[in-house]
Every structure is written in structure tokens, then in C-alpha cells.
């Protein structure tokens, strides 16, 4: 553990999920492979799309509605709808109440990805750290991703988990930090946010008046390798060190 700033008494903690509690990259890679296998089996025309084609659909969708950049689930549905229907992504309209062959196929594809994206187990020491902390302090999750917290077994540790969406801009925007502080009814200056991303988590938290603990489970903890514009309050060697703030 290395301190860079003095820390106020910690009355609550918020947590990033991806790359803080688990290494997200191989999980997403496997989920993408599962989705492509599903598409190859059931949607031959979409299976012929190249990686560049998929990226073009994604960029077109975001260009039409910038809010989709904060909502990975809705963005994926728009892109899948365009791919399966052969429609330009900037002409896709998602109606969740609609039921037709394309809508059902899109949901099947989305569920294939989402199930695989949340098909992993956390390390036992992570469970233990969260359990110990949650027994003493209120915890809230703040994530730009869309992992199924119930499926991976962490929902019970948190008061709530906030996911970025079309109505909740992703970190480093302060919206979810402000919402978490309101939910906790605790001043941001007495909340410690734990996350791996120096910009989205550390800078985002500090800009929202929080204290920030930097911890990345998926790479060496070297600030020289990070795009540092603001220092965290503390850098952790492991999540169990958070118990020292209880």
C-alpha cells in the first residue's frame, strides 16, 4: 500500500467491477467467441461480416445516438439488429415491446453473449474481502460494464450496483458517483472509491469529491505505465488492504 494523499475517515466504499475485482479482457474475449459461434450457426449473412464491418456498425450507432457510448447492452442490441436485418445502424430503432423474428433473434444473440460474459467465478480472496467490508460498511458498485452481478455472486455485498446506461453517463462523468453518494446518504469526502482506471475511476472519483483507491487486478501496478493526470489517495497491493480503513 502506498499513500499519496491524506485520507478522511471512510464511512462507505464504492467499487468498480471490471479489471478491479476480476480480469475482464479474457472474459469478454470468450463471450465474443461464443457470440460469433452462435451467429455462425444461426445467421449466415451476419457471420460473413468482417471485424471492420462490425466496427463500422458500432461507430454508426454511436454517431446517431451518443448516449449509446455509455450503454454497452443497448449498443450491442442496436449493432446486432443492424447486422441481422442488413440495415444501416443509423436507421435502427429498438423497441423492447416489439416481437418479431429479428427482435427474437437479436435477444437470443444478446443473451448468448451476456450469459458467457458473466460465466466466471471470482477468486476466493476477493469474496472474502468484499464480505468483510460489507459487514462493516455500506458498499455500492459503480461500473461502466454490464456484468450480471447476481450470476457471479457479488450482488449480496452491495447496497446497489449502478451500471452506465443511456441515462447514466459512464465514468469519468460524475453522474454515477453523485447517485451513489445520494443513495448512501454519505458525504463524498467520506466515501472511498476503488477502481483500476486512472481516468475513469481515480480522476472521476476525485472530481466528484470522493477519495480514491487505485487497484488493478489485471496488470502491474506501475503509475509510470498509466495516463496519470491526478494521483489517487492510495494505491493498493491487494483488496484485503481495504480492511485497514474499517
Amino acid at each position: 500500500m502506498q499513500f499519496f494523499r491524506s485520507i478522511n475517515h471512510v464511512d462507505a466504499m464504492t467499487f468498480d467491477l471490471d479489471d478491479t475485482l476480476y480480469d475482464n479482457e479474457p472474459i469478454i474475449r470468450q463471450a465474443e467467441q461464443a457470440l460469433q459461434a452462435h451467429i455462425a450457426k444461426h445467421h449466415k449473412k451476419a457471420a460473413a461480416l468482417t471485424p471492420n464491418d462490425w466496427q463500422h456498425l458500432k461507430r454508426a450507432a454511436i454517431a446517431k445516438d451518443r448516449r449509446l457510448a455509455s450503454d454497452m447492452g443497448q449498443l450491442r442490441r442496436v449493432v446486432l439488429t443492424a447486422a441481422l436485418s442488413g440495415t444501416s445502424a443509423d436507421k435502427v430503432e429498438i423497441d423492447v415491446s416489439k416481437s418479431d423474428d429479428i427482435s427474437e433473434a437479436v435477444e437470443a444473440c444478446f443473451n448468448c453473449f451476456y450469459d458467457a460474459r458473466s460465466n466466471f467465478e471470482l477468486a476466493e480472496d476477493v469474496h472474502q474481502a468484499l464480505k468483510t467490508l460489507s459487514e462493516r460498511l455500506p458498499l455500492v458498485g459503480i461500473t461502466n460494464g454490464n456484468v450480471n452481478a447476481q450470476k457471479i455472486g457479488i450482488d449480496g455485498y452491495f447496497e446497489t450496483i449502478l451500471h452506465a446506461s443511456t441515462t447514466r453517463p459512464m465514468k469519468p462523468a460524475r453522474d454515477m458517483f453523485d447517485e451513489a453518494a445520494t443513495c448512501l446518504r454519505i458525504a463524498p469526502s467520506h466515501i472511498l472509491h476503488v477502481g483500476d482506471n486512472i481516468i475513469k475511476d481515480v480522476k472521476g472519483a476525485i472530481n466528484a469529491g470522493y477519495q480514491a483507491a487505485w487497484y488493478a487486478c489485471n496488470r502491474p501496478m506501475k503509475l509510470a505505465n498509466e495516463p496519470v493526470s491526478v494521483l489517487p489517495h492510495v494505491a493498493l497491493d491487494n483488496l484485503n488492504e481495504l480492511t485497514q480503513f474499517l
Side-chain angles (χ1 to χ4, degrees), residues 12 15 22 28 47 72 89 100 110 120 123 129 133 161 222:
F15 279 83
Y22 48 84
I28 293 296
M72 297 299 99
D100 57 25
F110 180 84
F120 64 94
L133 294 169
I161 296 178
K222 294 182 179 179

Side-chain angles (χ1 to χ4, degrees), residues 10-17 20-21 130 133-134 137-144 149 154-163 168 171 175-186 191-195 201 210 242:
V10 175
D11 294 325
M13 294 184 188
T14 58
F15 279 83
D16 173 54
L17 305 183
T20 300
L21 302 183
L130 292 175
L133 294 169
S134 66
L137 295 173
L139 309 181
V140 168
I142 302 180
T143 177
N144 287 349
I154 62 171
D155 56 313
Y157 304 128
F158 296 96
E159 303 289 311
T160 189
I161 296 178
L162 305 177
H163 296 266
R168 282 193 187 118
K171 300 172 292 182
D175 301 61
M176 287 194 288
F177 292 106
D178 290 344
E179 185 176 349
T182 299
C183 172
L184 290 164
R185 297 182 180 180
I186 293 173
I191 304 174
L192 182 66
H193 178 69
V194 185
D201 290 302
Y210 279 56
L242 290 169

Side-chain angles (χ1 to χ4, degrees), residues 144 169-175 177 199-201 203-205 207-208:
N144 287 349
M170 65 168 47
K171 300 172 292 182
R174 64 180 293 161
D175 301 61
F177 292 106
I199 301 300
K200 296 174 183 177
D201 290 302
K203 185 176 181 178
N207 285 348

